[in-house]
Amino acid sequence: MPDVKPDLILKYFPNISKLQLDQFAKLYDLYSFWNAQINVISRKDIDELYERHILHSLGIAKFCTFRAGEKVLDVGTGGGFPGIPLAILFPETQFHLVDSIGKKIKVVTEVAASLGLKNVKASHLRAEQVADKYNFVVSRAVTRLVDFYPWIRGKFAKEHINAIPNGILYLKGGDLTEEIKESKLKAELHPLSAYFEEGFFETKYVVYIPQ
């Protein structure tokens, strides 16, 4: 039996509440159950869920602390990453998780309901169909930035609540020099290796693009 307890989350987020710890602890069984029916993450990755999916998602939280009342759009959420872990960590922030694949949104809806998350809305939509405005857009390596940006252009609220101006928080790995140059966007790279010591994070980044 692999070590799938949420100790890794406590290691980097020691101040979470008992409720939050319980919610993180439930994710392994929930994703094991749903992943067996609807493949939302790689089958071989399920035993690495806490490191490669949950903690990876929470890398955004090491760079940006979402505030009460802020609205965050998770584009191409798949089974709920990074949106579900972030929604657990920031219960006062509203998260809208969207994906163009309906069965993936079913998983998100079921997981959020099982955890009792009241701050998650899940929609079977393409990003371009979303009409609302948000403080931040988050995503996890859905596509190249040059293709991603047109989907969410114009979806940002004018009012800034956070110490960090509204913008995109994009989880991506590898050498991003060409991709950022191609996108012509002003992007900041924040290496996850600055926050997490596990080898998996050595080439992973939060890409921040202020609006």
Side-chain angles (χ1 to χ4, degrees):
M1 179 68 184
D3 181 14
V4 293
K5 298 190 297 296
D7 297 1
L8 194 59
I9 309 305
L10 268 180
K11 175 180 172 182
Y12 292 109
F13 297 91
N15 299 322
I16 60 173
S17 69
K18 184 178 184 306
L19 171 62
Q20 288 169 315
L21 182 60
D22 288 347
Q23 289 171 324
F24 281 123
K26 286 176 181 170
L27 289 179
Y28 180 78
D29 285 346
L30 283 169
Y31 278 108
S32 295
F33 173 78
W34 284 108
N35 210 51
Q37 300 179 57
I38 299 167
N39 199 16
V40 289
I41 62 176
S42 164
R43 293 271 201 268
K44 66 180 188 300
D45 252 13
I46 196 73
D47 292 340
E48 308 290 344
L49 181 75
Y50 282 95
E51 180 179 291
R52 296 185 181 176
H53 298 278
I54 300 169
L55 191 62
H56 187 212
S57 297
L58 295 176
I60 286 172
K62 285 294 186 186
F63 172 68
C64 178
T65 300
F66 295 125
R67 301 286 176 86
E70 285 191 311
K71 292 165 71 174
V72 178
L73 175 67
D74 178 0
V75 172
T77 189
F81 301 102
I84 291 281
L86 290 171
I88 293 173
L89 198 64
F90 300 108
E92 303 297 316
T93 302
Q94 298 301 312
F95 290 86
H96 188 187
L97 281 55
V98 303
D99 202 284
S100 60
I101 300 171
K103 62 185 181 180
K104 292 188 175 180
I105 286 299
K106 176 179 170 55
V107 174
V108 172
T109 304
E110 295 290 344
V111 169
S114 297
L115 297 174
L117 293 175
K118 302 280 190 270
N119 59 333
V120 170
K121 180 169 91 167
S123 302
H124 176 203
L125 290 172
R126 295 172 62 85
E128 304 95 310
Q129 297 170 296
V130 176
D132 214 342
K133 303 279 187 190
Y134 301 86
N135 300 95
F136 292 96
V137 172
V138 299
S139 193
R140 199 164 74 134
V142 173
T143 186
R144 292 179 74 81
L145 285 167
V146 71
D147 300 317
F148 180 80
Y149 189 70
W151 298 350
I152 51 88
R153 185 192 288 123
K155 299 203 189 303
F156 293 93
K158 288 191 166 55
E159 185 189 3
H160 302 275
I161 305 173
N162 210 294
I164 296 166
N166 295 349
I168 300 166
L169 296 163
Y170 202 67
L171 290 164
K172 199 92 195 246
D175 184 350
L176 302 174
T177 314
E178 279 304 312
E179 182 172 341
I180 289 168
K181 189 175 169 186
E182 171 192 48
S183 74
K184 299 185 169 62
L185 296 167
K186 283 186 178 169
E188 298 174 11
L189 286 182
H190 297 270
L192 292 182
S193 58
Y195 313 121
F196 307 136
E197 65 183 11
E198 287 71 20
F200 173 74
F201 298 105
E202 278 176 15
T203 58
K204 305 285 192 298
Y205 299 89
V206 174
V207 183
Y208 170 54
I209 302 163
Q211 290 307 293

